[in-house]
Amino acid sequence: MFGVIRAIFLAAGLVRGASLQSVTGWGSNPSNIQMSIYVPDRLASKPPVVVALHGCGGNGQQMYSSSRFQTFADQYGFILIYPSSNSNQGMACWDNHSPQSLTHNGGGDTQGIVQQVQYTLNKYNGDADRVYVVGFSSGAMMTNNLAATYPDVFEAGAPFAGVPAACWAGAGGSNPLNTNTSCPNAGVTKSAQDWGNYARNAYSGYNGRRTRMQIWHGASDNLVLPQLFQEELKQWSNVLGVSLTSTNSNNPESGYTQYLYGDGKQLVGYIAAGLGHGAVPYHESMVLSFFGVLTTPATSTITTTRTSTITTTMTPTTTPRTTPAMTTTTPGNGGGSQSKWGQCGGIGWTGFTACSPPAACSTLNPYYAQCL
Ligand SMILES: *[C@@H]1O[C@H](CO)[C@@H](O)[C@H](O)[C@H]1NC(C)=O
């Protein structure tokens, strides 16, 4: 009986009930950002919340379609928020530089993202002790800045190709099109204590829990230099009070080196040989295991029974960004072109696929091509 029903829904393409939804009215929104949300059909009774942040030139939809966090949300019942930055300075990057964004309740992007979290916790009776953030590039930089400005909100974070919190302070912008890019491009070096002070100063007077961090980077990243991986580790080792225990090659897979701090529960880093910007797969199951959201089974069903018949079909993989072939072309984009550093292709991408000369579109992986 259920088999028949399932077959019908499969045939009709209705297996997945949940989808990415845009949300308005979630807060005062001081920096004019946007919110999309993915609420799985089966929610945990007190669902954890995971924020996933796009890189420059992307948006929430692009982050959603270029990662597989939602397949785990379907299985484990947590909620995903996909914010979209505004296009200040001509390109959709996160504000990783202004005093507003680098200060707790300072009125910048960090505060707007936290308002989206609070809205979600209230609306879905979420678990305020289990809120997390993962991001790529500009979104990874924002992940570090959220850990500095709101350690009370975010229990753990995972930046992919980021820079330390407040690395862009004083740069006048954090957009590679028209900004002093010495932070990502010069391999800036500071002491662990100095980096730690930057993070602590983002929320002065705070003495509570600090955000645990799992840090990822490509060793051949020539946009956000691999030195920034070391600087991030210095910052959080200082803030979290953990020291390097060991470095372990070919962990979690060939070509990666693990930097283990303490027992690895507070801070761990992974750097991947030969991989450039945007090429390190999200390793969703490792990120979500570090967050601790893969231990809570979905316990309440908030929609119809049809969804409960398909929950065993998930096949998590740790390397989704390397598997599919590049299939996206976007003929209907009006013949415009993307600026240097912007995204110009990849699965799920619906924006411009041409680059403004002299930049040329370079495919970094199936999900991300960039004007370089
Ligand atoms: C460039 O930005 C860095 C921060 O990333 C800052 O320390 C430096 O002073 C800036 N340089 C200039 C010339 O503004």
Side-chain angles (χ1 to χ4, degrees):
M1 177 61 182
F2 274 107
V4 171
I5 291 170
R6 179 179 170 185
I8 290 167
F9 279 112
L10 278 170
L14 295 172
V15 167
R16 166 86 43 92
S19 61
L20 192 65
Q21 304 289 331
S22 73
V23 180
T24 56
W26 41 265
S28 68
N29 192 5
S31 61
N32 193 27
I33 61 174
Q34 294 174 296
M35 173 178 182
S36 294
I37 196 167
Y38 183 85
V39 181
D41 289 335
R42 293 200 316 159
L43 269 183
S45 59
K46 214 172 175 208
V49 173
V50 177
V51 177
L53 297 169
H54 65 80
C56 281
N59 57 37
Q61 171 69 50
Q62 173 266 334
M63 185 64 188
Y64 170 82
S65 55
S66 63
S67 59
R68 295 190 46 183
F69 294 105
Q70 73 274 19
T71 66
F72 293 87
D74 289 337
Q75 193 171 0
Y76 293 98
F78 59 87
I79 296 172
L80 283 155
I81 301 173
Y82 294 91
S84 295
S85 67
N86 67 33
S87 302
N88 64 335
Q89 309 171 327
M91 188 182 189
C93 300
W94 294 104
D95 175 353
N96 284 297
H97 65 280
S98 78
Q100 288 81 0
S101 201
L102 299 183
T103 307
H104 182 83
N105 289 347
D109 284 356
T110 47
Q111 187 171 8
I113 291 166
V114 165
Q115 288 179 349
Q116 296 183 3
V117 168
Q118 282 159 350
Y119 167 91
T120 302
L121 290 172
N122 289 338
K123 178 157 183 183
Y124 297 97
N125 188 32
D127 189 344
D129 293 329
R130 303 180 70 200
V131 176
Y132 310 95
V133 57
V134 56
F136 164 60
S137 192
S138 179
M141 300 168 189
M142 179 50 62
T143 297
N144 283 290
N145 281 320
L146 285 166
T149 51
Y150 291 94
D152 53 330
V153 173
F154 294 96
E155 203 276 320
F160 284 75
V163 300
C167 185
W168 290 93
S174 40
N175 182 321
L177 283 181
N178 55 9
T179 300
N180 159 6
T181 58
S182 75
C183 161
N185 293 158
V188 54
T189 299
K190 295 185 196 298
S191 71
Q193 183 68 38
D194 284 351
W195 282 129
N197 288 342
Y198 269 119
R200 283 181 289 269
N201 290 342
Y203 187 3
S204 62
Y206 176 77
N207 284 309
R209 175 198 73 189
R210 290 287 170 179
T211 309
R212 300 180 299 113
M213 298 296 275
Q214 184 188 60
I215 294 170
W216 297 80
H217 217 102
S220 296
D221 193 329
N222 56 15
L223 292 180
V224 181
L225 295 185
Q227 180 62 33
L228 279 309
F229 169 75
Q230 302 295 345
E231 303 303 314
E232 288 170 280
L233 290 172
K234 279 155 71 176
Q235 179 167 64
W236 298 115
S237 68
N238 182 268
V239 170
L240 290 161
V242 288
S243 337
L244 185 66
T245 311
S246 58
T247 59
N248 303 296
S249 47
N250 298 320
N251 182 323
E253 63 207 62
S254 176
Y256 284 67
T257 300
Q258 179 197 54
Y259 283 67
L260 192 70
Y261 286 73
D263 61 6
K265 291 186 177 139
Q266 298 286 309
L267 178 63
V268 63
Y270 297 98
I271 189 160
L275 295 187
H277 199 67
V280 178
Y282 283 121
H283 290 77
E284 287 89 342
S285 65
M286 286 184 65
V287 169
L288 296 168
S289 296
F290 181 78
F291 291 172
V293 299
L294 301 188
T295 56
T296 305
T299 55
S300 71
T301 301
I302 60 164
T303 58
T304 58
T305 52
R306 68 179 168 80
T307 57
S308 64
T309 63
I310 52 91
T311 54
T312 56
T313 57
M314 224 63 66
T315 312
T317 165
T318 57
T319 56
R321 285 204 290 179
T322 61
T323 42
M326 176 73 82
T327 54
T328 300
T329 54
T330 311
N333 62 16
S337 63
Q338 179 64 283
S339 325
K340 193 178 184 190
W341 309 119
Q343 185 171 3
C344 54
I347 293 168
W349 175 248
T350 56
F352 296 141
T353 54
C355 296
S356 307
C361 191
S362 171
T363 298
L364 301 178
N365 62 58
Y367 287 97
Y368 200 78
Q370 188 168 29
C371 294
L372 298 176

